[in-house]
Structure formats: structure tokens, C-alpha cells
Amino acid sequence: MKGYIEDKEFGKVYVELRRGMTTVRFTYHADGHLLMRAPLGAGATQLQQMLDINREQLRRLPQPQAVSFHFGQVMECFRCRVVIEPTNPRPGYLKTEWDDDNVLHVTMHESTDLDEFSAKQYISDRISEAMGYIANKELLPYAREVAQELKLQPAGFEVGRGMRKLGHCTAKRVIQLSRNLMFLPEVLVRYIICHELAHLTHMNHSPQFHALCNEYCGGHEKELERQLRQFRFPILK
């Protein structure tokens, strides 16, 4: 069951009641509202009590990323660029098209409300989808270069779609790299690649794995990991 309650401090709090849950969990919805997942059968009074009990903890909960779009916006990405333009003559229609210079033109009608959450989500999804093309063209060759430099031979490279899981090394030694790596600066793209290449030797996150990953990263693994945690994607996750 889904719904919401109104709170004086947090405003509209979305609620999902789930069968089998025994505790309450909180996170932020992509549009910035607090999301509460609670056991099925909890009433409004119980939900408010759960909110009050956890209020201090919720004040320390990480806020969702701020994402905004505007016409004329340019996103500098890994070996490509995204430009948002009001050149599409059809209201309610969005078009994405790559040119020969690795520029993705995202065109919409000038009447589009880019501040509306549903529009932000749709634009984000379309840009992410479009990155699949350029990832095959630019990201995979770059990953092969890094592997060759480190004298490593994975079984292959593939483009994935994850936002939270940006890379994966399969049991068959295939390195999967998310198309969303294209939003990262090159130094973090290389870090993700090195991280997954280290899994060719250690399929875990043991001290031995981190020592090898750190070696591949020139001794900067912890700093690169910190930068990745602080990175804010220009699209909604």
C-alpha cells in the first residue's frame, strides 16, 4: 500500500506499507520527499509515532542530489558533451541525437517545464539511455587501453546500465561498465576500471584486493573513492 502523511518539519512524507516488514526504514524519494517504508497494517497514528521517534536521525539523513535542467545547458562528460536545446517543434516530445563531435543534442519544445519532477526524470532517463551509444564508442576502448597498460587480460568488456553499481567483474572475467560512467571525470572513470580489473585477481574486497587496487591507482585509491562518493551526477538516479 502507498500513500503519504503530512509532517510540520518534513512536509509530505511518502509511505509504503510492506508485508513481512518488522521495522521502519527511511530514505529520500528522488523528488526530494522523505520516504517511509513500514510494516503492513500500520495506521496513521503509528506512522506519526515512528516518524517522531526517528526524527533526530532523519535530520542527519543525506539529502537527495539537486538536479536541474535549463535550455542552453551544457554538460561536460567523459569524452562527450550534452546540450539541452529548445529546438523541437512538437510539444511533449523529446529527441536525443549524437553529432560527429560526440555532442548529444537533447531537444524539446520551449514550453516544456524543466522544473517539473516528471520532466526531470524523463530527461534523465533519455540522456542515460543515449549514453549507451557513446560508451561503446569511447568508454570500452579506453578500458581496454587501461587493461593493456596494466598487462591484464579480462575475457571482455561490456556496457551496463546501473547508476549505483557502476562496474562489475563477472565470474567469467568479463568487466561490465555502466553507461553512466560517461558522466564522471576521466580520473574517476579510470578508478572504476582499475577497481574492476583488480577483481580479476581478488573476487572480494579483502585487504589484498584494496592493496592491488591501490597499486593500479598509483597509490590514490582512498582519495579516488572519496571523490566518487562526493560526486553529484547531473541527472536523477
Side-chain angles (χ1 to χ4, degrees):
M1 294 179 59
K2 296 183 179 181
Y4 69 89
I5 59 175
E6 292 285 352
D7 182 75
K8 291 182 179 180
E9 180 175 357
F10 297 108
K12 181 182 290 186
V13 178
Y14 290 122
V15 176
E16 292 183 5
L17 300 181
R18 296 189 172 186
R19 189 183 305 276
M21 287 194 69
T22 58
T23 59
V24 63
R25 296 179 183 176
F26 294 92
T27 185
Y28 272 99
H29 194 271
D31 66 358
H33 290 292
L34 194 62
L35 173 62
M36 175 193 299
R37 294 185 175 93
L40 187 65
T45 300
Q46 289 175 290
L47 293 172
Q48 187 62 57
Q49 289 174 346
M50 295 175 188
L51 191 60
D52 291 337
I53 291 171
N54 291 277
R55 190 170 297 276
E56 190 60 38
Q57 174 187 344
L58 295 175
R59 291 175 181 143
R60 299 192 298 268
L61 201 64
Q63 294 288 322
Q65 66 187 94
V67 171
S68 63
F69 299 113
H70 61 269
F71 291 120
Q73 182 175 357
V74 178
M75 301 180 196
E76 297 292 342
C77 303
F78 175 66
R79 299 188 177 181
C80 66
R81 181 179 300 143
V82 178
V83 180
I84 297 180
E85 303 167 321
T87 56
N88 199 305
R90 295 170 56 184
Y93 181 77
L94 183 151
K95 181 180 179 181
T96 57
E97 185 175 15
W98 290 99
D99 66 19
D100 294 337
D101 296 319
N102 286 357
V103 177
L104 177 65
H105 298 271
V106 182
T107 59
M108 292 163 284
H109 193 268
E110 60 184 7
S111 65
T112 305
D113 183 0
L114 302 185
D115 291 326
E116 185 181 15
F117 175 74
S118 60
K120 290 183 181 182
Q121 189 66 69
Y122 185 55
I123 295 168
S124 296
D125 290 345
R126 292 296 302 276
I127 293 175
S128 177
E129 291 171 7
M131 283 298 180
Y133 163 78
I134 207 70
N136 278 284
K137 181 181 176 183
E138 297 290 346
L139 177 60
L140 296 193
Y142 177 70
R144 295 187 187 102
E145 290 175 7
V146 174
Q148 185 176 14
E149 176 187 325
L150 297 174
K151 297 180 172 57
L152 298 171
Q153 293 185 325
F157 289 94
E158 297 176 349
V159 173
R161 300 183 299 176
M163 178 66 83
R164 290 177 173 81
K165 191 173 185 178
L166 297 174
H168 176 60
C169 178
T170 72
K172 295 183 178 180
R173 297 174 59 85
V174 175
I175 305 297
Q176 297 174 345
L177 300 171
S178 172
R179 64 194 183 192
N180 294 304
L181 261 68
M182 300 304 300
F183 297 108
L184 298 173
E186 183 169 334
V187 64
L188 293 182
V189 172
R190 182 184 176 92
Y191 164 61
I192 295 293
I193 294 170
C194 288
H195 182 104
E196 299 310 325
L197 288 172
H199 279 310
L200 294 173
T201 304
H202 301 286
M203 291 294 286
N204 51 42
H205 289 97
S206 63
Q208 292 82 4
F209 163 82
H210 286 293
L212 183 60
C213 183
N214 188 51
E215 179 184 334
Y216 290 168
C217 295
H220 301 293
E221 183 203 22
K222 288 187 177 180
E223 171 60 22
L224 293 169
E225 183 180 3
R226 184 190 65 80
Q227 291 182 29
L228 181 61
R229 287 198 305 268
Q230 294 179 347
F231 182 80
R232 295 293 177 262
F233 282 85
I235 64 171
L236 289 174
K237 295 184 179 181

